[in-house]
mmCIF file of all heavy atoms in Angstrom:
data_model
loop_
_atom_site.group_PDB
_atom_site.id
_atom_site.type_symbol
_atom_site.label_atom_id
_atom_site.label_comp_id
_atom_site.label_asym_id
_atom_site.label_seq_id
_atom_site.Cartn_x
_atom_site.Cartn_y
_atom_site.Cartn_z
ATOM 1 N N PRO L 224 204.626 -34.198 -60.143
ATOM 2 C CA PRO L 224 205.362 -35.250 -59.435
ATOM 3 C C PRO L 224 206.773 -34.781 -59.098
ATOM 4 O O PRO L 224 207.371 -33.973 -59.815
ATOM 5 C CB PRO L 224 205.395 -36.407 -60.441
ATOM 6 C CG PRO L 224 204.389 -36.067 -61.482
ATOM 7 C CD PRO L 224 204.336 -34.585 -61.526
ATOM 8 N N ARG L 225 207.341 -35.401 -58.032
ATOM 9 C CA ARG L 225 208.712 -35.098 -57.633
ATOM 10 C C ARG L 225 209.217 -36.195 -56.699
ATOM 11 O O ARG L 225 208.427 -36.739 -55.911
ATOM 12 C CB ARG L 225 208.799 -33.734 -56.955
ATOM 13 C CG ARG L 225 210.227 -33.236 -56.738
ATOM 14 C CD ARG L 225 210.206 -31.863 -56.115
ATOM 15 N NE ARG L 225 211.526 -31.428 -55.718
ATOM 16 C CZ ARG L 225 212.240 -30.494 -56.346
ATOM 17 N NH1 ARG L 225 211.737 -29.915 -57.419
ATOM 18 N NH2 ARG L 225 213.420 -30.130 -55.910
ATOM 19 N N ASP L 226 210.471 -36.507 -56.822
ATOM 20 C CA ASP L 226 211.146 -37.515 -56.020
ATOM 21 C C ASP L 226 210.420 -38.866 -56.080
ATOM 22 O O ASP L 226 210.189 -39.363 -57.167
ATOM 23 C CB ASP L 226 211.343 -37.010 -54.584
ATOM 24 C CG ASP L 226 212.375 -35.880 -54.526
ATOM 25 O OD1 ASP L 226 212.981 -35.560 -55.560
ATOM 26 O OD2 ASP L 226 212.565 -35.308 -53.439
ATOM 27 N N ALA L 227 210.020 -39.448 -54.959
ATOM 28 C CA ALA L 227 209.487 -40.823 -54.972
ATOM 29 C C ALA L 227 208.092 -40.845 -55.604
ATOM 30 O O ALA L 227 207.164 -40.182 -55.127
ATOM 31 C CB ALA L 227 209.446 -41.394 -53.563
ATOM 32 N N ILE L 228 207.946 -41.644 -56.670
ATOM 33 C CA ILE L 228 206.674 -41.721 -57.393
ATOM 34 C C ILE L 228 206.343 -43.186 -57.712
ATOM 35 O O ILE L 228 205.637 -43.474 -58.675
ATOM 36 C CB ILE L 228 206.702 -40.884 -58.679
ATOM 37 C CG1 ILE L 228 207.929 -41.263 -59.553
ATOM 38 C CG2 ILE L 228 206.709 -39.394 -58.363
ATOM 39 C CD1 ILE L 228 207.949 -40.589 -60.896
ATOM 40 N N GLY L 229 206.850 -44.093 -56.881
ATOM 41 C CA GLY L 229 206.645 -45.514 -57.150
ATOM 42 C C GLY L 229 205.291 -46.038 -56.787
ATOM 43 O O GLY L 229 205.008 -47.222 -56.977
ATOM 44 N N GLY L 230 204.403 -45.198 -56.281
ATOM 45 C CA GLY L 230 203.053 -45.612 -55.941
ATOM 46 C C GLY L 230 202.146 -44.398 -55.870
ATOM 47 O O GLY L 230 202.549 -43.259 -56.159
ATOM 48 N N ALA L 231 200.900 -44.622 -55.483
ATOM 49 C CA ALA L 231 199.932 -43.532 -55.380
ATOM 50 C C ALA L 231 200.313 -42.576 -54.249
ATOM 51 O O ALA L 231 200.709 -43.014 -53.168
ATOM 52 C CB ALA L 231 198.555 -44.111 -55.127
ATOM 53 N N TRP L 232 200.209 -41.282 -54.518
ATOM 54 C CA TRP L 232 200.419 -40.266 -53.483
ATOM 55 C C TRP L 232 199.143 -40.149 -52.659
ATOM 56 O O TRP L 232 198.022 -40.121 -53.200
ATOM 57 C CB TRP L 232 200.771 -38.926 -54.106
ATOM 58 C CG TRP L 232 202.213 -38.784 -54.458
ATOM 59 C CD1 TRP L 232 203.131 -39.782 -54.625
ATOM 60 C CD2 TRP L 232 202.913 -37.564 -54.706
ATOM 61 N NE1 TRP L 232 204.357 -39.267 -54.940
ATOM 62 C CE2 TRP L 232 204.261 -37.905 -55.019
ATOM 63 C CE3 TRP L 232 202.551 -36.227 -54.699
ATOM 64 C CZ2 TRP L 232 205.226 -36.933 -55.303
ATOM 65 C CZ3 TRP L 232 203.502 -35.268 -54.995
ATOM 66 C CH2 TRP L 232 204.829 -35.615 -55.293
ATOM 67 N N GLU L 233 199.312 -40.039 -51.334
ATOM 68 C CA GLU L 233 198.178 -39.944 -50.433
ATOM 69 C C GLU L 233 198.517 -39.071 -49.244
ATOM 70 O O GLU L 233 199.676 -38.778 -48.966
ATOM 71 C CB GLU L 233 197.754 -41.339 -49.944
ATOM 72 C CG GLU L 233 197.302 -42.277 -51.072
ATOM 73 C CD GLU L 233 196.765 -43.592 -50.553
ATOM 74 O OE1 GLU L 233 197.391 -44.202 -49.680
ATOM 75 O OE2 GLU L 233 195.712 -44.024 -51.049
ATOM 76 N N CYS L 234 197.472 -38.658 -48.515
ATOM 77 C CA CYS L 234 197.565 -38.033 -47.187
ATOM 78 C C CYS L 234 198.595 -36.907 -47.114
ATOM 79 O O CYS L 234 199.562 -36.981 -46.346
ATOM 80 C CB CYS L 234 197.875 -39.089 -46.134
ATOM 81 S SG CYS L 234 196.652 -40.420 -46.083
ATOM 82 N N PRO L 235 198.419 -35.817 -47.885
ATOM 83 C CA PRO L 235 199.389 -34.715 -47.819
ATOM 84 C C PRO L 235 199.171 -33.848 -46.583
ATOM 85 O O PRO L 235 198.089 -33.831 -45.990
ATOM 86 C CB PRO L 235 199.050 -33.935 -49.107
ATOM 87 C CG PRO L 235 197.576 -34.132 -49.269
ATOM 88 C CD PRO L 235 197.303 -35.554 -48.805
ATOM 89 N N ASP L 236 200.202 -33.111 -46.233
ATOM 90 C CA ASP L 236 200.122 -32.110 -45.178
ATOM 91 C C ASP L 236 201.103 -31.004 -45.539
ATOM 92 O O ASP L 236 202.141 -31.259 -46.171
ATOM 93 C CB ASP L 236 200.472 -32.732 -43.818
ATOM 94 C CG ASP L 236 199.969 -31.909 -42.634
ATOM 95 O OD1 ASP L 236 199.446 -30.791 -42.862
ATOM 96 O OD2 ASP L 236 200.093 -32.370 -41.483
ATOM 97 N N LEU L 237 200.797 -29.770 -45.143
ATOM 98 C CA LEU L 237 201.635 -28.626 -45.439
ATOM 99 C C LEU L 237 201.614 -27.717 -44.215
ATOM 100 O O LEU L 237 200.543 -27.310 -43.776
ATOM 101 C CB LEU L 237 201.130 -27.897 -46.690
ATOM 102 C CG LEU L 237 201.913 -26.647 -47.127
ATOM 103 C CD1 LEU L 237 203.334 -26.984 -47.498
ATOM 104 C CD2 LEU L 237 201.185 -25.963 -48.297
ATOM 105 N N PHE L 238 202.805 -27.408 -43.671
ATOM 106 C CA PHE L 238 202.839 -26.637 -42.417
ATOM 107 C C PHE L 238 204.191 -25.937 -42.291
ATOM 108 O O PHE L 238 205.207 -26.366 -42.866
ATOM 109 C CB PHE L 238 202.607 -27.541 -41.212
ATOM 110 C CG PHE L 238 203.478 -28.763 -41.163
ATOM 111 C CD1 PHE L 238 204.746 -28.703 -40.614
ATOM 112 C CD2 PHE L 238 203.025 -29.968 -41.677
ATOM 113 C CE1 PHE L 238 205.549 -29.831 -40.567
ATOM 114 C CE2 PHE L 238 203.822 -31.097 -41.632
ATOM 115 C CZ PHE L 238 205.098 -31.034 -41.072
ATOM 116 N N PRO L 239 204.238 -24.835 -41.505
ATOM 117 C CA PRO L 239 205.488 -24.082 -41.303
ATOM 118 C C PRO L 239 206.253 -24.613 -40.091
ATOM 119 O O PRO L 239 205.664 -25.077 -39.102
ATOM 120 C CB PRO L 239 204.993 -22.671 -41.070
ATOM 121 C CG PRO L 239 203.659 -22.839 -40.396
ATOM 122 C CD PRO L 239 203.078 -24.120 -40.963
ATOM 123 N N LEU L 240 207.583 -24.544 -40.153
ATOM 124 C CA LEU L 240 208.444 -24.821 -39.011
ATOM 125 C C LEU L 240 209.590 -23.830 -39.026
ATOM 126 O O LEU L 240 210.156 -23.513 -40.082
ATOM 127 C CB LEU L 240 209.001 -26.260 -39.070
ATOM 128 C CG LEU L 240 208.060 -27.419 -38.709
ATOM 129 C CD1 LEU L 240 208.789 -28.737 -38.925
ATOM 130 C CD2 LEU L 240 207.554 -27.285 -37.292
ATOM 131 N N ALA L 241 209.944 -23.365 -37.845
ATOM 132 C CA ALA L 241 211.073 -22.443 -37.726
ATOM 133 C C ALA L 241 212.368 -23.243 -37.794
ATOM 134 O O ALA L 241 212.571 -24.164 -37.000
ATOM 135 C CB ALA L 241 210.992 -21.678 -36.410
ATOM 136 N N LEU L 242 213.246 -22.907 -38.727
ATOM 137 C CA LEU L 242 214.510 -23.619 -38.878
ATOM 138 C C LEU L 242 215.392 -23.348 -37.667
ATOM 139 O O LEU L 242 215.664 -22.199 -37.321
ATOM 140 C CB LEU L 242 215.204 -23.182 -40.174
ATOM 141 C CG LEU L 242 216.495 -23.909 -40.533
ATOM 142 C CD1 LEU L 242 216.242 -25.406 -40.728
ATOM 143 C CD2 LEU L 242 217.101 -23.304 -41.795
ATOM 144 N N ASP L 243 215.824 -24.427 -37.023
ATOM 145 C CA ASP L 243 216.652 -24.359 -35.807
ATOM 146 C C ASP L 243 215.983 -23.521 -34.727
ATOM 147 O O ASP L 243 216.679 -22.898 -33.874
ATOM 148 C CB ASP L 243 218.043 -23.798 -36.142
ATOM 149 C CG ASP L 243 218.790 -24.629 -37.159
ATOM 150 O OD1 ASP L 243 218.704 -25.889 -37.070
ATOM 151 O OD2 ASP L 243 219.427 -24.063 -38.055
ATOM 152 N N GLY L 244 214.663 -23.482 -34.743
ATOM 153 C CA GLY L 244 213.914 -22.749 -33.721
ATOM 154 C C GLY L 244 213.914 -21.254 -33.890
ATOM 155 O O GLY L 244 213.431 -20.531 -33.011
ATOM 156 N N ASP L 245 214.442 -20.738 -35.012
ATOM 157 C CA ASP L 245 214.531 -19.295 -35.248
ATOM 158 C C ASP L 245 213.234 -18.821 -35.879
ATOM 159 O O ASP L 245 212.961 -19.083 -37.062
ATOM 160 C CB ASP L 245 215.720 -19.021 -36.184
ATOM 161 C CG ASP L 245 215.880 -17.544 -36.523
ATOM 162 O OD1 ASP L 245 215.116 -16.715 -35.976
ATOM 163 O OD2 ASP L 245 216.757 -17.223 -37.360
ATOM 164 N N PRO L 246 212.404 -18.048 -35.156
ATOM 165 C CA PRO L 246 211.133 -17.588 -35.717
ATOM 166 C C PRO L 246 211.307 -16.637 -36.916
ATOM 167 O O PRO L 246 210.359 -16.403 -37.649
ATOM 168 C CB PRO L 246 210.447 -16.872 -34.532
ATOM 169 C CG PRO L 246 211.568 -16.516 -33.620
ATOM 170 C CD PRO L 246 212.609 -17.585 -33.776
ATOM 171 N N GLY L 247 212.515 -16.108 -37.091
ATOM 172 C CA GLY L 247 212.780 -15.260 -38.244
ATOM 173 C C GLY L 247 213.173 -16.021 -39.488
ATOM 174 O O GLY L 247 213.411 -15.412 -40.537
ATOM 175 N N ASN L 248 213.268 -17.353 -39.379
ATOM 176 C CA ASN L 248 213.667 -18.157 -40.535
ATOM 177 C C ASN L 248 212.717 -19.348 -40.617
ATOM 178 O O ASN L 248 213.034 -20.456 -40.174
ATOM 179 C CB ASN L 248 215.113 -18.629 -40.393
ATOM 180 C CG ASN L 248 215.630 -19.326 -41.639
ATOM 181 O OD1 ASN L 248 214.959 -19.345 -42.678
ATOM 182 N ND2 ASN L 248 216.803 -19.894 -41.540
ATOM 183 N N VAL L 249 211.542 -19.111 -41.164
ATOM 184 C CA VAL L 249 210.498 -20.129 -41.219
ATOM 185 C C VAL L 249 210.491 -20.787 -42.590
ATOM 186 O O VAL L 249 210.488 -20.113 -43.625
ATOM 187 C CB VAL L 249 209.121 -19.531 -40.920
ATOM 188 C CG1 VAL L 249 208.012 -20.555 -41.146
ATOM 189 C CG2 VAL L 249 209.089 -19.009 -39.475
#
Side-chain angles (χ1 to χ4, degrees):
R225 190 178 172 107
D226 291 356
I228 53 174
W232 277 19
E233 298 186 315
C234 302
D236 200 354
L237 179 62
F238 51 85
L240 285 176
L242 184 61
D243 300 320
D245 178 4
N248 187 7
V249 173

